[in-house]
Amino acid sequence: MDAAGKDSAIQHVMSGVNPQGCQVFSFKHPSNAELAHDFLWRTTQCLPQRGHIGIFNRSYYEEVLIVRVNSEALLSEALPTKITQAADFWPQRYHSIRELESHLHRNGTRILKFFLHLSKKEQRLRLLERIDDPEKSWKFSKEDFVQRDSWKKYQEAYEDCLSATSTEDTPWYAVPADDKRNAHLIISEIILNELRSLHMTYPKLDHQQRRELMAIRKKLTQ
């Protein structure tokens, strides 16, 4: 949600991670090239390589949230009318998302999905703060104010989306976001628990590799 604290959560929670193994991708309004492909194309290109952490600041879920609430956005995707007007159009998109995430999970990618749940009252206060604070004014977007008028529609879209795409392997975590410090703590704990469950260790040398290493050490000390 706008002003929910996505950027600050990424900055705070991931501050201790080695940047060599972590990348953040922020998805804004799709380009013409991205609109010429299916709705999962642009984000799939940014999936992290093995051993790396990839963070999506917004994602393909925009395609069942913003696009759903703002129906005119769907027109720019140049899809056949037969598809966009089908009764099961949105359920089909949910299905595609579930299948993508299931495929990634089966192939070793662990997915954590966080929904920062912000109250309408707190969002108003944060938008006012952005306007009043010269150092935060650059964050304010007129579009944030416009989208606020569709608050009820967004709540319905969020509810349908989270219910349809939260699975045993890739569940959604709805995080209370009015209190930023508490939200950061919750996100941190979930990520740490997931990392611990992977039981990761540095590679261990076998007996032959150890012998070779000691032989090299001997030569280095001569």
Side-chain angles (χ1 to χ4, degrees):
M1 302 175 68
D2 295 323
K6 296 180 291 296
D7 293 335
S8 63
I10 294 170
Q11 179 181 2
H12 179 87
V13 174
M14 306 306 294
S15 60
V17 175
N18 186 336
Q20 293 183 94
C22 181
Q23 289 178 292
V24 180
F25 298 95
S26 297
F27 297 99
K28 305 298 183 182
H29 188 279
S31 65
N32 289 334
E34 290 167 341
L35 289 170
H37 293 79
D38 71 270
F39 79 98
L40 293 171
W41 181 77
R42 68 169 178 161
T43 48
T44 302
Q45 296 182 97
C46 299
L47 290 170
Q49 66 189 69
R50 297 195 187 283
H52 283 229
I53 296 174
I55 300 173
F56 283 6
N57 186 347
R58 299 190 183 276
S59 67
Y60 42 83
Y61 280 99
E62 297 296 301
E63 295 292 333
V64 291
L65 294 170
I66 287 181
V67 176
R68 177 175 171 177
V69 173
N70 301 277
S71 56
E72 66 277 4
L74 194 58
L75 299 175
S76 63
E77 297 187 11
L79 289 167
T81 304
K82 181 179 179 180
I83 293 178
T84 58
Q85 293 187 354
D88 62 348
F89 177 75
W90 298 113
Q92 284 294 332
R93 285 207 161 182
Y94 298 144
H95 180 71
S96 295
I97 290 172
R98 290 195 304 270
E99 286 197 326
L100 170 67
E101 294 178 348
S102 178
H103 165 76
L104 293 173
H105 184 86
R106 286 195 304 271
N107 286 274
T109 297
R110 293 295 171 260
I111 301 170
L112 297 177
K113 302 183 292 189
F114 299 101
F115 170 58
L116 301 183
H117 192 277
L118 189 70
S119 68
K120 192 173 185 180
K121 178 181 177 181
E122 180 63 21
Q123 187 194 57
R124 181 180 70 86
L125 294 175
R126 292 185 186 180
L127 292 177
L128 285 171
E129 183 181 12
R130 290 182 178 183
I131 293 173
D132 296 338
D133 187 344
E135 294 187 359
K136 294 185 177 181
S137 294
W138 64 271
K139 290 184 177 182
F140 184 82
S141 169
K142 183 180 177 182
E143 187 62 23
D144 294 344
F145 178 71
V146 172
Q147 293 299 323
R148 183 175 163 82
D149 287 339
S150 300
W151 182 272
K152 184 177 180 180
K153 290 182 179 179
Y154 270 111
Q155 298 308 305
E156 294 172 352
Y158 285 130
E159 183 176 353
D160 290 347
C161 170
L162 270 62
S163 298
T165 58
S166 189
T167 67
E168 183 177 353
D169 291 332
T170 61
W172 272 102
Y173 295 95
V175 179
D178 281 10
D179 183 340
K180 283 190 176 184
R181 293 182 65 184
N182 187 53
H184 295 169
L185 177 61
I186 293 171
I187 295 170
S188 299
E189 288 182 340
I190 293 171
I191 293 176
L192 282 173
N193 288 337
E194 184 67 27
L195 290 172
R196 291 186 182 115
S197 73
L198 298 177
H199 303 294
M200 294 182 291
T201 61
Y202 286 107
K204 294 183 179 180
L205 303 181
D206 58 29
H207 182 66
Q208 179 60 32
Q209 290 172 322
R210 188 65 185 172
R211 287 182 59 184
E212 292 175 353
L213 200 63
M214 296 310 295
I216 293 173
R217 185 185 189 284
K218 183 177 180 180
K219 292 181 178 179
L220 286 171
T221 56
Q222 287 177 349

